[in-house]
């Protein structure tokens, strides 16, 4: 049995409870005639979504190795083996896969109960990472907590925790029929607290993703258009003030507008200019896997934030369009699962699934936009593909929850219980 077949078998096992549930038709057929029919076996979850996820993970694994294999030639990484980042990425994938399998088995009702507590835990970790000798600093940012085998980034947990908390909060507020302004204000305060902690690290990119996730769930949860645009205006003004009041953020904006003004020295435009050179070298079909020149100490963070540039250089325009197409399909499919849940009167599950879709789609859009020079440089990785244990872990947990939502939807449509 191949590894792919074994993986499919493991996941299919989780749908075993749904295999023999009885079919129920919603249009005029009597219950007795329905029960008289033989049981119908069903797939326990969306297998296409699973295999697209696996494809992105495996492609990302290959590209992380390709982008990092030459890094030990740099004196800064001389003590590392050429497979150092590859092996750490493999370890992250194994840990994330095991945790995702466990997360798949957790009912959505349990996630709904623990949502407020998970949000509190994420706040505590965001505070803890700022404590000296606990939080680990890299390149002037203090965003990681060392766990020995891997470094954990609390901001990644915060994305998932805010997503669950916002979905749970909107469900509760809709049930008590409060006025929307009074209902939304406590949520806005909670997001503001998260934002202050993230900006102290600093991690404006994560704060931007969390803000968009929360706003998306508020809109999908029923906030009227006028209030939504008011909230969106406040958020845009807030981010504008952050840029205006921070000299180094202003420099990043100016570098984004004209990256070629500082293309030779290690200035603000250096990274973006070399990313654009990588895409230019790739042309339509690319220079071939492993043939990138920019990854040879020219393009900083080639295995993390700028992995897409290496994909563009080695696989060309066709490779870039393939990655974009896979993420577009994934986002669309996740949103469809969310709409299906809402149609089944499962509002919390629907908001969670659509929140994950917003998360994956928006962060992918930002990362690719940054790599292509269409957006200012932000420290956001490409979901599922870039090097980074915390991001991979939380991405897979979020997608496991979406697969669980789809599994429970199928149970309900077959007349079972979620």
């Amino acid at each position: 049995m191949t590894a792919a077949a074994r993986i499919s078998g493991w996941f299919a096992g989780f749908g075993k409870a749904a295999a023999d549930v009885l079919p129920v038709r919603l249009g005029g057929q009597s219950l007795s005639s329905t029960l008289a029919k033989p049981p119908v076996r069903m797939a326990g979850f969306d297998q296409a979504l699973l295999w697209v996820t696996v494809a992105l993970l495996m492609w990302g694994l290959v590209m992380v190795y390709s982008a990092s294999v030459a890094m030990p030639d740099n004196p800064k990484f001389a003590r590392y083996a050429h497979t150092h980042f590859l092996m750490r990425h493999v370890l992250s994938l194994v840990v994330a896969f095991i945790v995702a399998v466990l997360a798949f088995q957790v009912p959505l009702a349990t996630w709904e109960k623990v949502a407020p507590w998970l949000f509190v835990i994420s706040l505590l970790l965001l505070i803890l990472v700022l404590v000296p000798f606990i939080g680990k600093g890299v390149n002037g940012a203090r965003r990681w907590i060392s766990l020995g085998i891997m470094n954990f980034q609390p901001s990644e947990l915060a994305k998932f925790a805010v997503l669950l908390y916002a979905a749970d909060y909107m469900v509760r507020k809709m049930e008590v029929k409060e006025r929307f302004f009074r209902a939304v204000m406590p949520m806005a305060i909670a997001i503001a607290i998260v934002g202050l902690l993230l900006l102290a690290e600093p991690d404006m990119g994560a704060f931007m993703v969390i803000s968009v996730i929360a706003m998306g769930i508020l809109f999908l949860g029923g906030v009227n258009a006028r209030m939504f645009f008011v909230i969106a205006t406040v958020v845009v003004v807030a981010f504008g003030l952050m840029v205006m009041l921070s000299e180094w953020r202003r420099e990043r904006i100016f570098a984004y507008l004209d990256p070629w003004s500082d293309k030779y020295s290690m200035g603000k435009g250096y990274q973006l200019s070399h990313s654009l050179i990588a895409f230019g070298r790739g042309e339509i079909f690319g220079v071939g896997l492993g043939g990138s020149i920019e990854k040879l100490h020219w393009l900083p963070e080639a295995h993390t934030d700028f992995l897409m540039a290496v994909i563009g250089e080695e696989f060309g325009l066709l490779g870039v369009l393939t990655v974009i197409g896979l993420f577009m399909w994934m986002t669309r499919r996740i949103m469809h699962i969310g709409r299906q849940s809402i149609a089944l009167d499962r509002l919390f599950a629907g908001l969670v699934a659509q929140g994950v879709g917003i998360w994956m789609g928006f962060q992918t859009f930002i990362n690719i936009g940054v790599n292509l020079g269409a957006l200012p440089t932000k420290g956001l990785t490409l979901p599922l593909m870039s090097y980074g244990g915390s991001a991979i872990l939380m991405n897979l947990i979020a997608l496991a929850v979406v697969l669980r939502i789809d599994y429970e939807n199928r149970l309900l449509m077959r007349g079972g219980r979620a």
Side-chain angles (χ1 to χ4, degrees):
M1 183 181 292
T2 65
R6 287 198 297 270
I7 293 172
S8 180
W10 292 337
F11 273 98
F14 297 128
K16 189 176 181 180
D20 298 318
V21 295
L22 297 176
V24 172
R25 294 185 60 185
L26 299 180
Q29 194 170 6
S30 66
L31 180 61
S32 59
S33 63
T34 303
L35 293 176
K37 292 184 177 181
V40 178
R41 293 189 64 84
M42 58 169 286
F45 58 92
D46 191 325
Q47 296 194 22
L49 178 58
L50 169 65
W51 289 114
V52 168
T53 301
V54 171
L56 288 170
L57 288 170
M58 294 301 99
W59 194 356
L61 177 64
V62 172
M63 295 312 302
V64 165
Y65 181 52
S66 176
S68 64
V69 65
M71 289 180 65
D73 296 337
N74 188 327
K76 181 180 178 181
F77 303 101
R79 60 189 179 91
Y80 294 152
H82 289 280
T83 57
H84 173 80
F85 293 98
L86 171 67
M87 298 311 297
R88 288 184 65 88
H89 196 66
V90 169
L91 176 62
S92 298
L93 288 176
V94 171
V95 172
F97 177 79
I98 293 172
V99 177
V101 170
L102 297 175
F104 179 85
Q105 300 178 72
V106 179
L108 260 293
T110 302
W111 287 113
E112 189 171 5
K113 291 177 183 177
V114 303
W117 298 106
L118 193 61
F119 179 70
V120 172
I121 291 173
S122 69
L123 287 180
L124 293 176
L125 289 176
L126 288 175
I127 295 172
L128 195 63
V129 78
L130 299 175
V131 177
F133 308 109
I134 296 180
K136 181 180 179 180
V138 177
N139 296 329
R142 188 178 294 275
R143 303 175 185 174
W144 297 268
I145 296 176
S146 178
L147 299 180
I149 60 172
M150 64 181 291
N151 295 322
F152 183 72
Q153 193 169 354
S155 61
E156 295 295 334
L157 174 62
K159 295 174 187 175
F160 183 63
V162 167
L163 187 156
L164 293 178
Y165 180 69
D168 174 61
Y169 184 85
M170 287 307 296
V171 170
R172 287 187 283 111
K173 291 304 176 183
M174 289 184 70
E175 288 176 352
V176 298
K177 303 296 183 183
E178 288 190 16
R179 293 179 60 186
F180 277 116
F181 184 78
R182 293 182 59 187
V184 169
M185 185 54 65
M187 187 68 211
I189 294 173
I191 298 303
I193 294 172
V194 173
L196 290 174
L197 293 173
L198 288 172
L199 292 175
E201 295 184 3
D203 193 350
M204 187 175 175
F207 181 35
M208 185 182 301
V209 173
I210 287 174
S211 298
V212 169
I213 292 171
M215 288 176 58
I217 290 177
L218 291 178
F219 181 73
L220 295 170
V223 174
N224 61 60
R226 180 182 299 178
M227 181 163 292
F228 176 79
F229 283 118
V230 169
I231 297 171
T233 301
V234 171
V235 171
V236 171
V237 170
F239 279 109
L241 289 174
M242 291 176 200
V243 172
M244 291 176 60
L245 298 176
S246 173
E247 182 179 356
W248 65 272
R249 289 194 179 104
R250 288 199 307 272
E251 291 178 353
R252 277 194 169 189
I253 295 295
F254 292 137
Y256 146 74
L257 295 174
D258 185 13
W260 306 108
S261 62
D262 192 13
K263 59 183 178 292
Y264 295 117
S265 64
M266 293 294 288
K268 299 299 181 182
Y270 178 84
Q271 197 171 27
L272 177 55
S273 61
H274 281 279
S275 176
L276 296 176
I277 291 171
F279 283 109
R281 290 193 72 251
E283 297 184 348
I284 297 178
F285 300 104
V287 298
L289 179 62
S292 170
I293 298 298
E294 286 299 318
K295 70 184 182 184
L296 304 177
H297 318 304
W298 293 103
L299 178 63
E301 308 299 334
H303 62 308
T304 55
D305 300 352
F306 281 82
L307 186 69
M308 193 66 185
V310 180
I311 294 175
E313 186 176 2
E314 296 189 351
F315 289 91
L317 176 63
L318 292 181
V320 172
L321 292 178
T322 300
V323 173
I324 293 174
L326 289 173
F327 276 109
M328 286 181 64
W329 183 92
M330 171 184 285
T331 302
R332 181 178 180 275
R333 182 57 193 158
I334 293 172
M335 298 299 285
H336 172 76
I337 291 172
R339 289 195 302 270
Q340 190 177 55
S341 296
I342 294 174
L344 292 169
D345 201 25
R346 305 180 66 224
L347 183 58
F348 174 76
L351 291 177
V352 168
Q354 292 182 330
V356 174
I358 293 170
W359 174 5
M360 296 296 168
F362 180 73
Q363 185 161 330
T364 300
F365 172 77
I366 293 295
N367 178 271
I368 295 177
V370 166
N371 277 250
L372 291 171
L375 296 171
T377 303
K378 296 304 307 170
L380 288 173
T381 58
L382 184 62
L384 301 174
M385 298 188 75
S386 292
Y387 176 83
S390 300
I392 293 290
L393 174 64
M394 298 314 305
N395 288 166
L396 288 191
I397 290 175
L399 289 170
V401 171
V402 172
L403 290 174
R404 176 71 192 196
I405 292 171
D406 183 63
Y407 164 74
E408 293 184 3
N409 288 348
R410 293 170 187 242
L411 273 180
L412 287 173
M413 287 188 290
R414 295 289 185 176
R417 289 186 178 182

